[in-house]
Amino acid sequence: MTETTHTQTTPAGGAGRQRSPEWRLTADALDGLRQDLFDDAFAYRPLPRTRAVGRSGRSTRYTGWTPHAVVVGLGALAMLFGLVGTSGSGLPSLLCALLALGPVLLTLVRPVGAFWSSLAATTVASVVGGATGMEWPWGPGSFLSHLAVLTVVAIRTRPRTAAWMWVLTAVYGLVADTLLGRERYDTDVAPMLLVSALALLAVTVRHIRRQAQREVTAQRTVTAAERSRRTLLEERTTIARELHDVVAHHMSVVAIQAEAAPYRVENPPEELEKAFATIRENAVAALTELRRVLGVVRAEDHEAPDAPQPTLADLDRLLANVREAGLDVEKAVTGAVRELPQGVELSAYRIVQEALSNALRHAPGAGARVEIGYVLGGLGLRVVNGPPPAPGPAGAPERVLRPHPSGGAGHGITGMRERVTMLNGEMTAGPAADGGYEVAVFLPVPADIADAGGA
């Protein structure tokens, strides 16, 4: 194999010369000037209507044309200044007025082209009105017209375009004053540059402020989405930690029963002993992996509970604690009470716990009612609280609410929905007719699973 090396020489010319930072900065600036004021300068860009917010009606229908009306009003004012500010009468005065009106109206459809038209109109108006003693190079009408054009175009474009327009206006004024207005003493270049700088500065500040508002809004949206996602993940982690105890209990029972089953049969076949040994090994392996998974989802500051996970049998103790915190709550049970799968009972307990925590937090002093319905296909829950009581008269003793000991284990409605979704249930939550709040949940439990849970 023959290896060849190709050497490329840099041509001795301008293409391979290292450019200085100043040269690159100037080239970028000129490229920006070309993009802003030369490329598609007379492209058709109509001023869109503004969105009117309010009730539907005639006033709302015409509100969207307010910017157009303001521009037309500025053009009419510039035209009036052109008529009144030009000494003399007849065709030159009318022509100066029309030259002041045209560029302002052009900003409605061709904003960048309106700037160039304004400079051209200023030149023609200064020549036509030169014998009438008007100021140089902008007459009264042209002055207001060019100032309006600069402002409107700056609003419709970006701050860099406004800066280039001001620079070109300064160049135009200095050239017109130096080369064409040597014999004139009433120049208005300085007033134009000062007033236009103030106007463009105000527009630029407006652009920057609106851009900052858009960025803040976008950041808030992203933050809210991330917060919602983090809340959801935290709730799922909490549910996983709680269900670990339930699953671990069942897997331990399977392992123990598989180990003890051969001793309950006299002279069991060897195949049966091997089958139960395999069942026990798989149960122990599954339990080990389950503990390993729990170690991944457990928070660093999480402490393992020192008591079994609660069930609906512990609900009376929860209601007693809530009553001590100041919430009048009553319980109603319908249907034949039976033992359900531990995961269902744990989720039902946590849902009631979280609903009562929300009632304590958002409707202190209100009454609440917990309804539990055992039906053939599952378990129904309904937790409803009334509106918070109105403040009593002045001087009346206030009811002191201690921090609630219910210990809500989730993130409100989000946590409840996650638990219901995990069990393929249904949930509705929203304001009640009397101004309170209602949470209704149905957790399906097939008959065969319910029998196994009761066994």
Side-chain angles (χ1 to χ4, degrees), residues 367 382-387 428-439:
R382 181 175 178 266
V383 182
V384 57
N385 63 269
T428 59
D434 60 351
Y437 202 82
E438 177 182 358
V439 176

Side-chain angles (χ1 to χ4, degrees), residues 330-397:
E330 58 181 4
K331 183 182 75 169
V333 180
T334 59
V337 179
R338 65 186 186 276
E339 185 179 354
L340 299 175
Q342 192 172 0
V344 176
E345 296 224 0
L346 172 61
S347 296
Y349 179 92
R350 293 303 188 193
I351 290 172
V352 174
Q353 181 184 33
E354 197 64 42
L356 294 178
S357 298
N358 289 344
L360 278 168
R361 187 180 304 113
H362 301 292
R369 178 179 176 85
V370 178
E371 299 177 0
I372 304 174
Y374 290 87
V375 296
L376 184 61
L379 178 70
L381 299 174
R382 181 175 178 266
V383 182
V384 57
N385 63 269

Side-chain angles (χ1 to χ4, degrees), residues 142-289:
S142 299
F143 190 96
L144 181 58
S145 174
H146 191 67
L147 187 61
V149 168
L150 290 177
T151 305
V152 175
V153 175
I155 292 175
R156 297 197 58 191
T157 55
R158 51 184 175 177
R160 190 179 70 178
T161 305
W164 279 120
M165 288 191 301
W166 188 87
V167 171
L168 292 179
T169 298
V171 172
Y172 173 84
L174 294 177
V175 170
D177 192 24
T178 303
L179 300 181
L180 304 178
R182 294 180 178 179
E183 299 178 358
R184 297 178 178 270
Y185 298 98
D186 50 353
T187 178
D188 54 1
V189 175
M192 169 59 74
L193 296 181
L194 178 61
V195 176
S196 62
L198 294 177
L200 296 180
L201 179 61
V203 173
T204 302
V205 171
R206 174 178 175 271
H207 275 302
I208 296 175
R209 183 173 179 271
R210 294 186 65 180
Q211 180 64 26
Q213 289 177 344
R214 286 193 293 267
E215 292 178 356
V216 169
T217 302
Q219 186 62 35
R220 286 178 179 175
T221 303
V222 173
T223 302
E226 289 296 328
R227 185 183 300 112
S228 176
R229 180 175 176 271
R230 185 172 62 251
T231 300
L232 190 62
L233 293 178
E234 290 176 356
E235 186 59 35
R236 290 178 177 177
T237 302
T238 301
I239 295 174
R241 290 198 301 262
E242 292 179 350
L243 290 181
H244 165 266
D245 295 339
V246 177
V247 179
H249 168 73
H250 290 301
M251 296 302 298
S252 299
V253 171
V254 170
I256 293 174
Q257 290 181 346
E259 185 177 6
Y263 298 101
R264 297 183 179 181
V265 180
E266 185 177 355
N267 299 323
E270 184 178 356
E271 293 80 1
L272 183 61
E273 291 184 354
K274 291 182 178 179
F276 279 117
T278 302
I279 294 174
R280 181 184 180 280
E281 291 176 358
N282 289 335
V284 172
L287 187 59
T288 303
E289 294 299 327

Side-chain angles (χ1 to χ4, degrees), residues 289-343:
E289 294 299 327
L290 183 63
R291 290 171 179 169
R292 188 172 301 166
V293 172
L294 179 66
V296 174
V297 300
R298 177 182 287 127
E300 295 181 359
D301 56 350
H302 174 72
E303 296 181 0
D306 54 358
Q309 294 291 352
T311 62
L312 289 177
D314 304 313
L315 197 58
D316 290 336
R317 187 184 310 140
L318 171 66
L319 299 183
N321 292 337
V322 172
R323 292 189 187 100
E324 292 180 1
L327 182 66
D328 295 331
V329 57
E330 58 181 4
K331 183 182 75 169
V333 180
T334 59
V337 179
R338 65 186 186 276
E339 185 179 354
L340 299 175
Q342 192 172 0

